Amino acid sequence: MHISQIRFEPREVRIPVGGTVEWRFDDGLLLHDLRAEGVFDSGIRSEDTFRFTFTTPGDVAYRCSIHPTMSGTVHVG
């Protein structure tokens, strides 16, 4: 997944249980922090990548804590 122009692309993705999603931070020096409460937190960053492996089926909604209008969903299973 790609983070650019203050948005996630794509906003939704489907993966199997045990699948890994990688977000690539490519928004210049703009800071972002991906969070899904109780699931993951990327920490504040402006570059590099963040990977997370989803081991539980279901829909995981996430957002950027710095830019609340940035949100997405990972559909697992």
Side-chain angles (χ1 to χ4, degrees), residues 47-58:
E47 54 187 23
D48 202 12
T49 59
F50 172 71
R51 293 177 191 90
F52 187 81
T53 300
F54 293 82
T55 58
T56 305

Side-chain angles (χ1 to χ4, degrees), residues 3-68:
I3 301 170
S4 181
Q5 299 180 5
I6 310 177
R7 67 177 189 225
F8 300 116
E9 191 61 44
R11 286 187 61 173
E12 294 190 34
V13 65
R14 292 191 179 278
I15 63 167
V17 173
T20 299
V21 174
E22 177 179 284
W23 289 266
R24 187 177 63 225
F25 292 77
D26 190 21
D27 218 354
L29 296 177
L30 197 58
L31 297 175
H32 297 289
D33 177 26
L34 275 60
R35 289 188 184 184
E37 291 299 321
V39 180
F40 65 79
D41 183 344
S42 71
I44 296 173
R45 56 181 73 201
S46 64
E47 54 187 23
D48 202 12
T49 59
F50 172 71
R51 293 177 191 90
F52 187 81
T53 300
F54 293 82
T55 58
T56 305
D59 294 337
V60 179
Y62 65 93
R63 64 180 178 81
C64 174
S65 68
I66 298 170
H67 306 100

